Amino acid sequence: MANDTGLSFLSEAPAFGFDNSYARLPERFYARLDPTPVTQPRLIKINEGLARELGLDPVMLATPPAVEVLAGNRLAAGSQPIALAYAGHQFGNFVPQLGDGRAVLLGEVVDRAGVRRDIQLKGSGPTPFSRRGDGRAALGPVLREYIVSEAMAALGIPTTRSLSAVATGEPVMRETVLPGAVLTRVATSHIRVGTFQFFAARGDGEALRLLADHVIARHYPDVRDEENPYRALLDRVIARQADLVAKWMLVGFIHGVMNTDNCSIAGETIDYGPCAFMDTYKPDTVFSSIDHGGRYAYVNQPRIAHWNLARFGETLLPLFNDDSDKALAIANETLATFQGRYGQALMAGMRRKLGLSTEDEGDAALAQDLLNAMAEAEADFTKTFRALDPESDDKVRPLFAEPAKYDAWAVRWRERLAREPQDAAACRAAMRSVNPVYIPRNHRVEAVLAAAIERDDYGPFEEFLKVLARPFEERAEFADYAEPAPADQCVYRTFCGT
Ligand code: AMP
Ligand code: MG
C-alpha cells in the first residue's frame, strides 16, 4: 500500500496498535504528512524497558523493518502521521505559528497501564511548520535528549521519554556539518500551552473548546464532573506545573527554554534543548547560549511557569464565562493558587531532602539557610544533599569552601532532627531515596556525545545510561560519575538542538 511520498505500510509488523485520537480532531489542528526517508538508517538504541511499558517487543523493535519505521522510512500499520499546529511565546515574544517543524506524530498507543501515549519522530524532515529550518536533528542533541529525559524519568520527574535513537547517515548543516539522527519521543501528549494559543490567536473558539474537551478526556477526565470544567482544567494544569517545577528545583535542573510552546498541558518536562543540571549551587545559573537576559535562569523557573500558565488561562477565558469580567476573575483566582502550591510542593520536597518526616514552622528558613550557605561557599548542589547525614559531617564539610558556614547550620539541623520521631537509620535511608548520587552532569554528557560523534564509540553512552537508570543507588564502579567537573572541564554554555 503506497501513499504520496512512496512510504509503504509494513506488512511484517511492527504492530504498535495505534489508535489516533488527535488525528480525529479537525484538519486545522495539524498537517497530514509522512516523515521524509533517510538514506542509511542505523539503530543506535532501543529503550527496552520503555518498549515493554508500551506493550512493544524490544527485540522486534530492533529488527530492520522496525528500524525503518523508527527512521521514518516506512510506516507501521495504523500510523496516521501528522505535524501538530501550535503557537507560542518565545522569550516573551508571541509567535502565532510555530508547530512541529521537525517532528511528526506517528500515532498513539495505549500502554500496559492504560495510559494513552504519543509516539513521535523528532528530526523526521521538513513539514509545513518548518519555516526556514531543515526539519532535521543532529546526533548530539538527539543523544542529549535521550540521556537527560531518561535520567529525569529515573529521578521520578514527569517527562517525555525516549524510545529509540537512529542515525540517518545524512549530514545536517549547522554551524558545522554534523551527523543526523532521529529520536522517537514518547509523551502522554504533545499538547502545549502554545497549542491553545494557536487557536486563541485566531479567535477560533470552536477549536479551543474541542481542544479543551480533548485534553479533559485524555488527561483530566475527573474535571467533567466539576461545576465549571474549564476552570477545573486550568486548576489541574496549574497543580501539575507547580509540582513539576518544584521537582526540577529540587534536583538543580535548569530547563533553559521555558517558552509556552515547551510547556506541556499534561505536566511533563518537554523539549531538552539547552537544559542542564547545576553543579555548584548558584541560583542565577543560566546555561543556554541564547538566554542573554537570564530569563530562564534556575531561580526564575517558578515565576516563568506561572507566567506561562497565565498565558494558558488567557486562552480559556471565553470558555470560563460569557461575561468577560467574570471570566477574568475566574482566571485570576485560579492563577493565584500557583504560588502556594509551588511553595508547598517545594517545601515538601525540601523536607524529604533534609530527612524531615514532620512539619515545623522553621523548616523553610532552615532549608533556605542551607542553600544560602551553599551559595556562599560554592558547594555542589547534588553532592551536598547526598552527603548530608544525620550522624556525621565527614562527607559534607569538605564540600564547603568555608566549612564553618556548614557547621553553624548543622547545629540547627541536628536540633531539628532531634524532634523527629524516626531514628537516624530510617532518616538516612529516607534521605538517600530522594537525594540522587548520579545526575547527568554536563561534562559527562559532553564526553559521551564526543565519543559517539567523533569516534563512533557508544560504550560511554551505554554505560552512562546504566548509571543514570538507578540514580539513588551508590555503585563503587561508577564513583567517578558522582563527581563534578574538574575545573578545566566545566561546561558554562549549552546550545539549542536546532
Ligand atoms: P524548539 O526551540 O525546539 O522548541 O523549537 C521551536 C520551533 O522551531 C518549533 O516550531 C520547532 O518545530 C522549530 N524547529 C526547531 N528546529 C527546527 C529545524 N531544524 N527545522 C525545522 N523547524 C525547527
Ligand atoms: Mg519546542
Side-chain angles (χ1 to χ4, degrees):
M1 194 171 23
N3 60 1
D4 292 348
T5 54
L7 293 193
S8 54
F9 282 97
L10 282 176
S11 50
E12 62 270 59
F16 281 84
F18 284 124
D19 172 58
N20 307 321
S21 65
Y22 208 83
R24 292 193 285 270
L25 289 166
E27 297 285 327
R28 62 192 190 282
F29 281 64
Y30 46 76
R32 290 187 191 275
L33 86 163
D34 292 343
T36 308
V38 302
T39 49
Q40 253 185 342
R42 180 170 69 110
L43 181 64
I44 295 169
K45 182 71 182 166
I46 293 288
N47 187 336
E48 296 186 4
L50 179 60
R52 280 188 288 266
E53 239 180 74
L54 295 170
L56 302 172
D57 174 3
V59 176
M60 174 282 289
L61 274 186
T63 60
V67 173
E68 295 274 317
V69 171
L70 300 173
N73 285 16
R74 305 178 85 173
L75 292 175
S79 189
Q80 291 175 292
I82 51 177
L84 275 51
Y86 55 84
H89 276 92
Q90 299 190 303
F91 291 92
N93 303 307
F94 187 63
V95 184
Q97 182 169 307
L98 291 164
D100 285 335
R102 53 163 167 172
V104 289
L105 178 61
L106 293 181
E108 301 155 21
V109 302
V110 177
D111 72 15
R112 291 167 77 176
V115 179
R116 183 176 289 272
R117 316 270 291 262
D118 277 5
I119 311 286
Q120 187 206 60
L121 297 185
K122 183 170 173 184
S124 50
T127 78
F129 304 109
S130 294
R131 294 172 295 162
R132 285 179 302 281
D134 60 2
R136 291 298 184 188
L139 175 59
V142 163
L143 297 179
R144 169 190 283 277
E145 173 155 351
Y146 194 112
I147 292 165
V148 184
S149 65
E150 287 308 305
M152 293 288 272
L155 288 164
I157 300 173
T159 178
T160 62
R161 303 288 304 272
S162 299
L163 179 62
S164 67
V166 176
T168 61
E170 293 177 1
V172 296
M173 311 300 164
R174 296 295 180 259
E175 273 162 26
T176 54
V177 181
L178 299 168
V182 176
L183 181 80
T184 301
R185 178 159 75 178
V186 176
T188 58
S189 86
H190 283 86
I191 302 167
R192 309 133 192 272
V193 168
T195 317
F196 282 84
Q197 291 181 295
F198 180 86
F199 296 113
R202 284 158 183 76
D204 189 343
E206 184 194 278
L208 273 171
R209 189 176 293 271
L210 282 170
L211 181 62
D213 290 343
H214 175 86
V215 164
I216 288 171
R218 184 164 179 182
H219 299 302
Y220 304 97
D222 61 306
V223 312
R224 271 183 298 216
D225 306 328
E226 301 272 341
E227 187 189 327
N228 186 333
Y230 302 112
R231 175 190 189 138
L233 170 63
L234 176 60
D235 186 77
R236 297 294 196 283
V237 176
I238 290 171
R240 288 216 193 158
Q241 280 289 332
D243 192 58
L244 178 68
V245 176
K247 289 198 160 105
W248 292 354
M249 301 302 276
L250 291 163
V251 296
F253 176 77
I254 303 169
H255 182 282
V257 58
M258 288 177 70
N259 294 333
T260 57
D261 54 302
N262 294 335
C263 181
S264 153
I265 294 295
E268 289 181 332
T269 311
I270 184 166
D271 212 323
Y272 292 86
C275 67
F277 281 72
M278 207 165 41
D279 287 306
T280 305
Y281 177 68
K282 286 192 207 100
D284 59 355
T285 303
V286 178
F287 284 106
S288 169
S289 61
I290 56 168
D291 190 0
H292 304 297
R295 179 181 170 90
Y296 299 141
Y298 172 79
V299 70
N300 288 345
Q301 295 186 123
R303 197 174 54 77
I304 292 291
H306 189 199
W307 191 88
N308 289 344
L309 290 162
R311 305 289 78 74
F312 178 46
E314 280 167 5
T315 71
L316 298 178
L317 288 173
L319 300 181
F320 289 155
N321 202 296
D322 292 335
D323 178 328
S324 59
D325 288 339
K326 282 189 186 143
L328 198 58
I330 289 173
N332 284 331
E333 279 164 28
T334 314
L335 284 159
T337 64
F338 177 84
Q339 280 300 344
R341 286 167 153 173
Y342 167 73
Q344 263 184 357
L346 186 75
M347 248 345 274
M350 267 297 171
R351 282 199 182 88
R352 285 193 290 272
K353 287 178 89 67
L354 295 176
L356 308 176
S357 66
T358 57
E359 293 183 20
D360 187 295
E361 260 187 313
D363 292 347
L366 186 71
Q368 189 56 52
D369 291 346
L370 173 63
L371 292 172
N372 293 346
M374 286 164 65
E376 284 169 33
E378 300 185 357
D380 182 85
F381 185 84
T382 306
K383 282 201 84 165
T384 299
F385 280 104
R386 183 69 186 191
L388 285 177
D389 187 291
E391 292 181 309
S392 164
D393 296 326
D394 294 354
K395 282 191 177 158
V396 66
R397 284 188 92 245
L399 302 174
F400 285 71
E402 297 161 78
K405 297 223 189 273
Y406 168 77
D407 294 337
W409 179 81
V411 172
R412 291 165 53 209
W413 181 46
R414 294 251 155 64
E415 283 167 9
R416 174 66 182 85
L417 286 176
R419 296 199 299 278
E420 275 291 308
Q422 54 182 355
D423 65 16
C427 176
R428 181 181 300 117
M431 290 175 74
R432 293 197 173 169
S433 72
V434 294
N435 291 319
V437 196
Y438 307 113
I439 52 160
R441 291 186 183 266
N442 303 320
H443 67 296
R444 289 275 169 188
V445 175
E446 296 303 325
V448 161
L449 268 45
I453 296 163
E454 288 158 23
R455 302 191 296 280
D456 198 30
D457 177 4
Y458 285 87
F461 172 71
E462 292 290 345
E463 182 168 281
F464 202 26
L465 291 176
K466 231 183 259 168
V467 172
L468 296 169
R470 283 144 61 196
F472 302 106
E473 193 182 310
E474 240 155 276
R475 281 160 286 166
E477 70 271 33
F478 296 142
D480 284 354
Y481 285 94
E483 295 305 314
D488 63 329
Q489 285 177 38
C490 269
V491 176
Y492 300 107
R493 280 281 163 270
T494 54
F495 300 91
C496 262
T498 46

